[in-house]
Amino acid sequence: MYRTCRGRACSPSGRGQRRAQCRCDDPRQHNRERARFGLARLSWSGKLAREAQVWADELARSNTMRHSTRAQRGGAGEILWAGSAGYYSPAQMIDGFLQERRMFHAGNFPDVSTTGQWSDVGHYTQIIWPQTRELGCAIAREQGNDFLVCRYMPAGNVYGQPVG
């Protein structure tokens, strides 16, 4: 049922299935963005990807967009995305987070947004968080929606810490 999705939309893996799962195991977009700041490359973590898949499946099953608790994700950072099933590739999903760059300014978190709202750049700052070293993402589909979950270790967006 798992399917690697390098640059294309996920699709159900069998005839008549409503649900698709997809591992998006290509950290290149993340690492290109991190390189803009001279940051270390992220390594792919199968463990984080498996945990992300469990949560993506839960979001798809409940058709609800919500973060897991810090305890549920073992202290990992988490960013989420949802959209119409099959319409967006994994690369387009990640690009949505990277578009937050236009509202980002370097500083100590949470003072990192030109809008004054750190939530406008929170996905982006997790991606470029200097101390983060590992990444794992997964996608699940149900009820006409795709749900992307990415997990990061160590977590970013720590109050008072510099980013950018």
Side-chain angles (χ1 to χ4, degrees):
M1 193 158 185
Y2 288 108
R3 191 168 158 238
T4 301
C5 300
R6 293 181 188 260
R8 60 185 185 278
C10 298
S11 62
S13 56
R15 190 176 169 98
Q17 287 185 335
R18 291 185 350 242
R19 183 181 211 140
Q21 293 175 317
C22 174
R23 247 186 22 246
C24 300
D25 56 1
D26 187 351
R28 287 182 290 187
Q29 277 179 284
H30 282 75
N31 286 329
R32 277 193 298 270
E33 195 63 29
R34 291 174 65 82
R36 293 168 51 97
F37 295 92
L39 298 172
R41 297 172 59 81
L42 297 180
S43 298
W44 185 258
S45 167
K47 177 182 183 290
L48 289 174
R50 286 186 299 275
E51 293 169 357
Q53 188 68 66
V54 169
W55 191 246
D57 289 344
E58 169 59 23
L59 296 178
R61 184 196 60 74
S62 65
N63 199 32
T64 305
M65 185 72 147
R66 67 186 186 285
H67 280 285
S68 59
T69 66
R70 189 163 179 79
Q72 286 173 312
R73 62 181 181 265
E78 178 179 79
I79 59 177
L80 309 175
W81 182 97
S84 297
Y87 190 77
Y88 299 92
S89 71
Q92 290 171 315
M93 295 172 189
I94 300 298
D95 189 56
F97 301 139
L98 298 179
Q99 293 301 313
E100 294 176 5
R101 177 190 327 123
R102 70 186 192 284
M103 295 174 281
F104 171 77
H105 72 76
N108 289 336
F109 192 84
D111 185 25
V112 292
S113 174
T114 60
T115 68
Q117 300 295 316
W118 72 263
S119 57
D120 291 337
V121 297
H123 304 103
Y124 183 73
T125 54
Q126 173 59 82
I127 290 170
I128 63 163
W129 197 260
Q131 289 75 32
T132 298
R133 294 294 179 261
E134 294 181 306
L135 159 73
C137 298
I139 297 172
R141 173 180 297 164
E142 185 95 27
Q143 303 178 50
N145 292 305
D146 285 335
F147 293 88
L148 168 72
V149 177
C150 289
R151 298 266 174 98
Y152 302 84
M153 192 58 85
N157 294 351
V158 178
Y159 276 70
Q161 297 298 308
V163 61

